[in-house]
Amino acid sequence: MIQEDLFKKIIAHCKEYGFIFQSSELYDGLSAVYDYGQNGVELKNNIKEYWWKAMTQLNEEVVGIDSAIFMHPTIWKASGHVDAFNDPLIDNKDSKKRYRADVLIEDYLEKINDKINKEVEKAAKRFGDTFDENQFRTTNARVLEYAAKIESIKANFVAALDANDLEKVRQIIIDEGIVCPVSGSRNWTEVRQFNLMFETKLGSVSEGANTVYLRPETAQGIFVNYLNVQKTGRMKIPFGIAQIGKAFRNEIVARQFIFRMREFEQMEMQYFVKPGEELKWFDTWKEKRMNWHLAMGINPEKYRWHKHDKLAHYANAAFDIEFEFPFGFKELEGIHSRTDYDLNQHQIFSGKKIQFYDNETEESYVPYVVETSIGLDRTFLSLLSACYQEEQVGEETRVVLNLPECLAPIKVAILPLVKKDGLPEFARTIMNDLKFDINCMYEEKDSIGKRYRRQDAIGTPFCITVDHQSLEDNTVTIRYRDTMIQERIPADKLSGIVKEKTDIKNLLKKL
Ligand code: GAP
């Protein structure tokens, strides 16, 4: 399926099946803000549970917190967000569309990279089994020319960003002839910085209210609670603090559905380590986080590492895990070695000492931090993109979400074949037994075929059908979503089978 079509289908599917609705739709919507519906919230909660347990329950030295969205405004001064949490924006004068200048350049580089991949693909077809990809990439004149071009643009771009030279950023766009995707023209304005934080007022305006911010990341709530958690939890370095919560950014170029939202959720963990040991822990967390993704069983080729060419001034290593969304490989999670920058800044701005006293070495130090930061909504979108399938079954097309069983919104659908003869009562007994452990749905409307299709479309891994034979021999039919195979099993075995197969520990045990 063409990827653009897939994306449109996923968006339509999310609405039709109660996963995601445009916020304030009744009032024509609020751009880049979304509501999660009855199935969406279940899937989202399951992803959170998987992350939370993987981070805290499986790592004894990682604990969780839930800090407030509002924080003292000086925190955002200390963190650098007031002065530097900006996007470089550029407008096309013909289409009147606004873009992030850095994204325009990155997309342009990606297009050159696609050209390299096309050359490689063509050569692979031409040479067949004898094709040596590595040799081709390092010797083919055209590929080398493209690669050199990418490197040269990247170097210029990094230098321009480092020097905060917005005119130079614009010049790259002009020199490379980057066009507006809408108007196709090169009629660009200058590049301007735009701060992404939302402001509001705390207290009554008449009494001189304070400006406060809606947090643009959850991480700062962790940094400012470092001492509280370390002391009350008697934590020893290395240890981590995890948090799941809302973050807000006034994204100007907010497209691509829930990929870039103005209100979204992050799952972040800061791991506090001894200075000098941060790169070792950075490698450990890189591996752990990639395993977390792979354990969900999605094609590993959908994930790749992206090394940051331009490190933030406080970071000494940074990689992203990118996922191949229907609109290309994009950032899903960041793993960053942030040194002691944040804690130091909070020491300076609060005037309080934020250190760890090591009893063994009898020395105090400001811990270094390795951060893992993943967007919950992007994880949601990555799962839907990978699990949405259209299959030909006889004459019709079935849409199925082959989500990992334990993440599916509804684990079991209980379906009496007909609405009479005592079948609903029998089905209800099963439901009443299972509902204390897993999320089930009872459905008796429409033909059994239609009910199966509806459950496939929301990713329900098991459908249980109760028929007349059930009343005679206490057996039911279990239908498996992915294979559509149906088996007759004793009703009293059901609970054991489905609980075992939908248990989150099936994923956790792979880590
Ligand atoms: N504390 C580090 C931090 O916030 P980030 O790269 O700005 O780093 C981390 O954000 C993750 O949050 C991203 O990898 C992405 O998954 C998610 N994210 C960031 N901005 C987002 C947005 N506007 N909409 C949805 N998810 C977003």
Side-chain angles (χ1 to χ4, degrees), residues 29-43:
L30 186 65
S31 154
V33 186
Y34 292 90
D35 298 337
Y36 283 81
Q38 67 278 17
N39 288 318
V41 69
E42 295 291 343
L43 175 55

Side-chain angles (χ1 to χ4, degrees), residues 5 23 52 81 126 133 136 152 174 195 243 326-327 347 361 364 377 401 441 472:
D5 289 349
S23 159
W52 188 260
H81 284 81
R126 204 167 54 238
E133 182 175 331
F136 183 79
S152 138
I174 303 290
N195 193 287
Q243 165 157 237
F327 39 85
Q347 284 200 125
T361 60
S364 291
D377 313 272
L401 288 187
M441 181 189 262
E472 284 162 24

Side-chain angles (χ1 to χ4, degrees), residues 5 40 53-54 97 100 111 144 249 277 377 425 446 461:
D5 289 349
K53 289 193 166 160
K97 292 275 175 206
R100 270 177 56 181
K111 277 193 194 132
L144 290 177
R249 296 182 188 179
E277 294 189 353
D377 313 272
E425 290 75 11
D446 290 331

Side-chain angles (χ1 to χ4, degrees), residues 81 85 216-220 223 249 251 258-268 270 308 314 320-321 331-334 336 338 371-379:
H81 284 81
F85 193 51
E217 61 170 15
T218 54
Q220 297 304 322
F223 289 124
R249 296 182 188 179
E251 301 279 4
I258 56 168
F259 180 81
R260 196 174 300 287
M261 301 155 89
R262 298 202 163 106
E263 174 179 342
F264 58 100
E265 250 175 298
Q266 290 186 315
M267 306 191 285
E268 297 200 288
Q270 325 297 135
H308 281 219
Y314 50 78
D320 291 337
I321 295 176
E331 177 185 340
L332 172 60
E333 168 157 13
H336 301 161
R338 292 177 74 125
E371 166 185 85
T372 72
S373 175
I374 177 170
L376 175 55
D377 313 272
R378 285 191 192 176
T379 311

